[in-house]
Amino acid sequence: MEVEQVNNLENKPFILGMDVSFMDEIEQHGGSYSDVDGKQQDLLSILKLNGTNAIRLRIWNDPAGGFCNLERTVAVAKRIKEQGMQFLLDFHYSDRWADPANQWKPKAWENLSYEELQRAVCTYTADVLSTLKENNALPDMVQVGNEITPGMLWDEGRVSGEEHDTDEQWERFAGLVKYGIAAVKSVDSNINIMIHIDRGGDNVESRKFYDRFEALGVEFDTIGLSYYPWWHGTLDALRDNLHDLAARYGKPINVVETAYPWTLEQPEEHEWILNQEDLLLPGYPASVEGQKRYLQDLLQIIREVPGGLGQGFYYWEPAWIPSKPEWSVGHPNNWGNLTMFDFKGRKLESFTALTASKHSETETGTLKGSALIK
């Protein structure tokens, strides 16, 4: 299939991104970061020096603890812009985690009617982006929802389970998303809209979701997928899915969440979300070298998506070091072996996978329209 030119890709570099949403809380509670030589540095500076060109932040409406709200998002977004990196803002439309198991409305919206909920999504989205614009920290890309495979703003926008997987519910869900998209475009029509689900290696469910949105006339720019091998299948399954989605929809695709362990060691009082060797990909041990190899091969798969539609990736929370046992949202630190920094905040050598990828891009050209040019 020959893919036509895609909007918002012209002359855009391949995205080598990092989600550092916990950085603010870590810094404010005494955590720090250093390069391999142990010299303490600003995290964003370390990331930029080691190949990162884009940062992703989540935003919660009114979170416990006061991190990842609008005020703190503005403060961190200004730092991202000062570093000259691209900025992706991820609206969860919740006071806490929104993911395939949790898509609960913010407390302030719990008693709204469906029509009032649509207006709330529109007003809130526009207000957040207008505030960022006033602070010269407007995002380049926006996610309208986070891992919204089962819908969002439950139960009005829920489409998971036999009871909710109906034409009527999909229309209501799509209606909420459309109001979010309209709000983004009202602030700046050049902002790239990503629609993000969690099924990186699941082509059947990915097609079901994006076919629905296409049929319902949801207009967006980028497909976003989460891909964690222990949940979403093999790298071959990811490759097959990316190729099929590119051919079917002709949109840029971003693996907007991924991670891989650099150790299975569990310090006392910590229990990692991935701590079993039998959940690892064959040939990719839980070591710094294994993490590096995983990233190298993942990036190659994304670069090889037909039509130049592999937009790039974001590593999810590479800097979520176990500097605290418990976080302001009431979440234990279960990610410390999936970071790209050691337990003390020292950068791992797996970052060389990014710098090698940037060198590869310099040799092969940049993305223009829907194809690589030299």
Side-chain angles (χ1 to χ4, degrees), residues 90-111:
D90 175 11
F91 282 92
H92 281 229
Y93 297 114
S94 182
D95 294 334
R96 55 193 188 276
W97 302 107
D99 55 42
N102 303 279
Q103 291 285 344
W104 304 109
K105 293 190 290 287
K107 186 173 180 60
W109 298 0
E110 284 179 352
N111 297 318

Side-chain angles (χ1 to χ4, degrees), residues 105-351:
K105 293 190 290 287
K107 186 173 180 60
W109 298 0
E110 284 179 352
N111 297 318
L112 299 183
S113 68
Y114 175 72
E115 290 74 20
E116 290 170 335
L117 197 57
Q118 285 182 306
R119 289 194 291 273
V121 168
C122 189
T123 301
Y124 169 73
T125 304
D127 286 349
V128 166
L129 294 175
S130 295
T131 301
L132 286 164
K133 187 175 184 177
E134 290 165 5
N135 284 274
N136 297 313
L138 197 64
D140 304 280
M141 185 182 296
V142 163
Q143 284 179 227
V144 178
N146 183 75
E147 293 187 330
I148 56 173
T149 320
M152 69 181 195
L153 294 164
W154 289 350
D155 280 327
E156 283 79 359
R158 188 169 192 159
V159 294
S160 60
E162 189 173 339
E163 177 186 354
H164 296 98
D165 189 3
T166 65
D167 290 345
E168 180 182 4
Q169 280 297 110
W170 275 94
E171 288 176 7
R172 289 163 69 85
F173 169 35
L176 293 167
V177 173
K178 287 177 182 179
Y179 266 71
I181 292 172
V184 176
K185 295 298 187 181
S186 74
V187 176
D188 190 326
S189 61
N190 292 316
I191 294 176
N192 187 297
I193 303 289
M194 176 186 287
I195 297 297
H196 170 212
I197 67 172
D198 71 311
R199 302 302 178 99
D202 187 341
N203 184 241
V204 172
E205 288 299 315
S206 296
R207 284 172 56 163
K208 174 187 173 182
F209 184 95
Y210 291 110
D211 279 354
R212 279 280 197 172
F213 264 34
E214 188 171 62
L216 290 164
V218 180
E219 296 182 1
F220 64 99
D221 304 300
T222 295
I223 290 171
L225 301 172
S226 293
Y227 172 68
Y228 299 105
W230 54 97
W231 289 323
H232 301 138
T234 65
L235 284 167
D236 285 340
L238 173 68
R239 178 189 292 107
D240 292 345
N241 193 27
L242 297 184
H243 282 230
D244 182 70
L245 297 181
R248 288 178 70 81
Y249 308 111
K251 293 181 183 291
I253 304 173
N254 194 306
V255 179
V256 72
E257 287 189 27
T258 195
Y260 203 77
W262 58 272
T263 183
L264 294 181
E265 175 194 348
Q266 289 189 154
E268 193 174 346
E269 298 182 359
H270 290 285
E271 184 173 352
W272 307 138
I273 197 167
L274 178 64
N275 55 19
Q276 297 172 245
E277 195 163 344
D278 61 359
L279 295 177
L280 301 176
L281 290 173
Y284 301 86
S287 65
V288 175
E289 181 59 32
Q291 184 185 67
K292 174 184 171 182
R293 193 181 314 156
Y294 169 79
L295 286 171
Q296 288 173 327
D297 291 350
L298 174 77
L299 290 171
Q300 188 63 28
I301 286 169
I302 299 169
R303 284 189 178 280
E304 291 174 352
V305 174
L309 290 172
Q311 185 188 73
F313 95 120
Y314 286 82
Y315 196 101
W316 197 78
E317 292 286 7
W320 188 8
I321 58 175
S323 57
K324 295 175 64 180
E326 189 84 12
W327 301 85
S328 60
V329 287
H331 196 288
N333 190 306
N334 58 11
W335 205 258
N337 69 327
L338 291 161
T339 58
M340 295 179 69
F341 292 81
D342 69 17
F343 301 146
K344 300 297 185 182
R346 183 176 298 191
K347 184 198 79 171
L348 300 176
E349 285 292 346
S350 41
F351 269 101

Side-chain angles (χ1 to χ4, degrees), residues 18-24 26-27 31-35 39-50 52 55 57 76 79 83 85 317-321 340-341 345-347 351:
M18 300 281 154
D19 186 313
V20 295
S21 298
F22 269 118
M23 174 185 72
D24 189 28
I26 290 168
E27 289 178 338
S32 63
Y33 302 92
S34 61
D35 213 326
K39 182 180 179 182
Q40 189 172 324
Q41 287 181 259
D42 172 72
L43 174 61
L44 296 182
S45 296
I46 293 174
L47 295 178
K48 185 175 180 180
L49 287 169
N50 288 277
T52 302
I55 297 294
L57 298 177
V76 179
R79 291 171 58 187
Q83 289 285 350
M85 292 193 280
E317 292 286 7
W320 188 8
I321 58 175
M340 295 179 69
F341 292 81
R346 183 176 298 191
K347 184 198 79 171
F351 269 101

